[in-house]
Protein backbone atom coordinates (compact mmCIF):
# COMPACT_ATOMS: atom_id res chain seq x y z
CA UNK A 1 0.00 0.00 0.00
CA UNK A 2 1.36 3.39 -0.96
CA UNK A 3 0.44 6.41 1.11
CA UNK A 4 0.88 9.63 -0.95
CA UNK A 5 1.39 11.83 2.12
CA UNK A 6 4.65 10.03 2.90
CA UNK A 7 6.24 10.40 -0.55
CA UNK A 8 8.97 12.98 -1.03
CA UNK A 9 8.53 12.96 -4.80
CA UNK A 10 5.06 13.44 -6.25
CA UNK A 11 3.89 11.62 -9.36
CA UNK A 12 3.82 14.93 -11.27
CA UNK A 13 6.58 17.29 -12.37
CA UNK A 14 7.68 20.03 -9.97
CA UNK A 15 9.97 22.88 -11.03
CA UNK A 16 13.43 22.72 -9.51
CA UNK A 17 12.94 26.11 -7.82
CA UNK A 18 9.95 24.81 -5.86
CA UNK A 19 10.26 23.39 -2.37
CA UNK A 20 8.03 20.31 -2.40
CA UNK A 21 7.42 18.46 0.85
CA UNK A 22 4.97 15.70 1.74
CA UNK A 23 2.22 16.78 4.09
CA UNK A 24 3.62 14.78 7.00
CA UNK A 25 6.72 17.01 6.94
CA UNK A 26 4.85 20.31 7.17
CA UNK A 27 4.88 20.21 10.96
CA UNK A 28 8.66 19.83 11.16
CA UNK A 29 9.61 22.21 8.38
CA UNK A 30 10.70 25.82 8.78
CA UNK A 31 9.33 26.66 5.32
CA UNK A 32 6.18 28.17 6.78
CA UNK A 33 8.16 30.61 8.93
CA UNK A 34 9.55 32.33 5.82
CA UNK A 35 7.11 35.18 5.18
CA UNK A 36 8.03 35.30 1.47
CA UNK A 37 6.73 31.83 0.62
CA UNK A 38 3.54 30.99 -1.21
CA UNK A 39 1.96 27.59 -0.73
CA UNK A 40 0.22 25.15 -3.06
CA UNK A 41 -1.84 22.37 -1.53
CA UNK A 42 -2.76 19.54 -3.90
CA UNK A 43 -5.83 17.48 -3.01
CA UNK A 44 -9.28 18.05 -1.59
CA UNK A 45 -9.27 15.33 1.04
CA UNK A 46 -9.02 15.68 4.79
CA UNK A 47 -5.22 15.81 4.68
CA UNK A 48 -5.25 18.74 2.24
CA UNK A 49 -7.77 20.59 4.38
CA UNK A 50 -5.68 19.91 7.50
CA UNK A 51 -2.64 21.38 5.73
CA UNK A 52 -4.51 24.56 4.86
CA UNK A 53 -5.88 24.95 8.38
CA UNK A 54 -2.40 24.42 9.79
CA UNK A 55 -0.95 27.12 7.53
CA UNK A 56 -3.73 29.55 8.46
CA UNK A 57 -3.85 28.89 12.20
CA UNK A 58 -0.34 27.89 13.22
CA UNK A 59 1.67 29.52 10.46
CA UNK A 60 -0.47 32.68 10.36
CA UNK A 61 -0.22 32.55 6.58
CA UNK A 62 -2.38 35.05 4.71
CA UNK A 63 -5.03 33.17 2.67
CA UNK A 64 -3.97 35.02 -0.49
CA UNK A 65 -0.64 33.13 -0.35
CA UNK A 66 -2.33 29.70 -0.45
CA UNK A 67 -3.39 28.04 -3.71
CA UNK A 68 -5.58 24.97 -3.30
CA UNK A 69 -5.72 22.53 -6.21
CA UNK A 70 -8.73 20.22 -6.07
CA UNK A 71 -10.22 17.92 -8.67
CA UNK A 72 -13.82 18.96 -7.99
CA UNK A 73 -15.89 20.95 -5.53
CA UNK A 74 -15.73 19.72 -1.98
CA UNK A 75 -18.91 19.26 0.02
CA UNK A 76 -18.84 19.36 3.79
CA UNK A 77 -21.61 18.08 5.98
CA UNK A 78 -22.08 18.54 9.70
CA UNK A 79 -21.97 14.95 10.96
CA UNK A 80 -23.85 15.90 14.10
CA UNK A 81 -26.96 16.51 12.02
CA UNK A 82 -26.77 13.09 10.42
CA UNK A 83 -25.56 10.95 13.31
CA UNK A 84 -27.75 12.31 16.07
CA UNK A 85 -31.49 12.17 15.24
CA UNK A 86 -32.42 14.12 18.38
CA UNK A 87 -30.15 17.02 17.50
CA UNK A 88 -31.44 17.01 13.92
CA UNK A 89 -35.07 17.16 15.15
CA UNK A 90 -34.30 20.04 17.52
CA UNK A 91 -32.71 22.14 14.78
CA UNK A 92 -35.67 21.93 12.42
Amino acid sequence: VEVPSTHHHPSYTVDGDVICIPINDIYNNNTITNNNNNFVIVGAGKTGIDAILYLLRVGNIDPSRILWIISRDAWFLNRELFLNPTTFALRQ
Side-chain angles (χ1 to χ4, degrees):
V1 175
E2 291 188 22
V3 180
S5 62
T6 62
H7 293 225
H8 288 277
H9 301 288
S11 59
Y12 44 85
T13 304
V14 177
D15 189 274
D17 294 334
V18 173
I19 299 169
C20 183
I21 61 173
I23 189 62
N24 289 344
D25 290 352
I26 195 172
Y27 308 106
N28 301 321
N29 194 296
N30 63 1
T31 304
I32 65 168
T33 60
N34 180 344
N35 290 331
N36 297 321
N37 288 331
N38 290 314
F39 300 87
V40 177
I41 306 298
V42 179
K46 182 183 180 311
T47 305
I49 294 166
D50 288 344
I52 292 171
L53 292 175
Y54 183 83
L55 292 172
L56 294 171
R57 292 180 180 164
V58 177
N60 293 317
I61 302 300
D62 186 277
S64 66
R65 294 182 31 224
I66 300 172
L67 175 65
W68 189 15
I69 299 174
I70 61 173
S71 58
R72 59 181 88 68
D73 289 338
W75 290 78
F76 299 97
L77 303 173
N78 184 342
R79 289 183 184 180
E80 183 178 313
L81 297 177
F82 295 96
L83 299 178
N84 186 338
T86 304
T87 304
F88 178 75
L90 293 174
R91 292 186 184 209
Q92 292 297 324

